[in-house]
């Protein structure tokens, strides 16, 4: 993959995008009618600030604010995906490029669930340290897999205990838009190889890139797509009438491997 292991930190390079997303979740958490609660988001911001991190420049903050409704809807949708996967008996969860996603701590997981998170070593180290300093405990067995997605992450995942003979629930949230388009198919192929029947995957699929619906359908996945506008409408965050800037051109794909 083009993005390789240059060891970025959570406060720099593409790692800092995790802090932009977590800033949005912290705002949602203290809003009047939040779609979800995420008390961990502010912990990460405080810990990053203590390391000297500052909010991004005003124009970038404006961009982040403009998609607040989208970001909150996205988080809610992935939350619901995981809850439904657990209710359907899936006990393995893999969150790729997890960043500062706090679902392992804030969602009600069913017993025996194991959550694997993949991201850069420095990003995951910051996350673990911050949560430990705040005495946070995950609601399921939690395993960090510190590896670049450009490396042999399937091996790292298996070495960490992942069982590819059992179904898994995968999440690609805020990931494809950050990877070169040429790398999308390779990422999906690797997930396909690790996915037993009945596995599920939730994907935030940007407009640019391969046709992910076709890709999955041709390989035995049943795919239910939802546009960003429809999703925001569903959660009362508008959508169709919003400005283009507030509604990124993306689809949310909920897929299940049926053969
Ligand atoms: C926009 S953040 C999204 C994080 C998380 N999914 C969320 O929604 O909060 C992108 C994350 O992808 C990670 N990332 C990007 N490229 C990666 C790569 N090649 N290998 C591992 N992690 C990567 C970054 O470190 C960052 O944490």
């Amino acid at each position: 993959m083009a993005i390789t292991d240059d060891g970025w930190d959570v406060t720099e390079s593409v790692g800092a995008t995790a802090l932009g997303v977590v800033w949005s979740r912290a705002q949602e958490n203290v809003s009047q009618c939040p779609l979800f609660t995420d008390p961990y988001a502010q912990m990460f911001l405080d810990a990053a600030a203590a390391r000297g991190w500052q909010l991004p420049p005003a124009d970038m903050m404006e961009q982040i604010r403009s998609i607040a409704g989208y970001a909150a809807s996205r988080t809610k949708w992935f939350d619901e995906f995981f809850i439904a996967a657990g209710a359907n008996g899936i006990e393995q969860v893999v969150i790729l490029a997890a960043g500062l996603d706090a679902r392992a701590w804030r969602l009600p997981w069913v017993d025996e669930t194991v959550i694997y998170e993949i991201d850069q070593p420095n990003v995951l180290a910051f996350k673990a340290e911050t949560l430990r300093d705040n005495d946070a405990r995950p609601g399921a067995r939690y395993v960090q897999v510190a590896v670049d997605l450009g490396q042999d992450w399937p091996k790292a995942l298996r070495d960490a205990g992942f069982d590819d003979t059992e179904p898994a629930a995968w999440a690609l949230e805020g990931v494809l838009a950050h990877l070169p388009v040429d790398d999308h198919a390779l990422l999906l192929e690797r997930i396909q190889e690790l996915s037993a029947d009945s596995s599920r995957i939730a994907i935030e699929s940007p407009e640019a890139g391969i046709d992910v619906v076709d890709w999955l359908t041709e390989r035995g996945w049943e795919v239910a797509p939802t546009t960003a506008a429809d999703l925001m409408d569903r959660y009362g965050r508008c959508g169709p009438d919003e400005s283009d800037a507030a509604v990124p051109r993306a689809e949310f794909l909920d897929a299940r491997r049926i053969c």
Side-chain angles (χ1 to χ4, degrees), residues 1-5 8-10 12 14-22 25 74-75 95-103 118-121 123 147-151 171-175 178-179 204:
M1 294 205 174
I3 298 181
T4 50
D5 187 6
W8 63 74
D9 193 84
V10 74
E12 65 191 21
V14 68
T17 59
L19 281 167
V21 182
V22 96
R25 288 200 287 268
R74 177 177 85 168
T75 301
I95 306 178
L96 291 120
L100 304 176
D101 181 325
R103 290 194 176 88
I118 299 177
D119 207 302
Q120 280 280 338
V123 173
V147 61
D148 189 283
L149 289 173
Q151 296 180 339
L172 284 175
E173 178 187 22
V175 182
H178 293 278
L179 289 180
E204 179 191 21

Side-chain angles (χ1 to χ4, degrees), residues 81-82 84-94 109-116 157 161-171 191-201 221 255-259:
F81 165 80
F82 282 123
N88 280 276
I90 296 185
E91 293 176 345
Q92 296 190 105
V93 165
V94 186
W109 298 100
V110 296
D111 290 350
E112 312 301 332
T113 303
V114 186
I115 301 167
Y116 299 92
L157 185 62
F162 180 82
D163 181 355
D164 61 15
T165 66
E166 291 293 324
W170 301 85
I191 293 171
Q192 169 89 0
E193 278 168 23
L194 293 164
S195 294
D197 280 359
S198 300
S199 289
R200 294 180 171 221
I201 184 164
W221 296 75
R256 189 166 61 93
R257 186 160 188 182
I258 49 176
C259 59

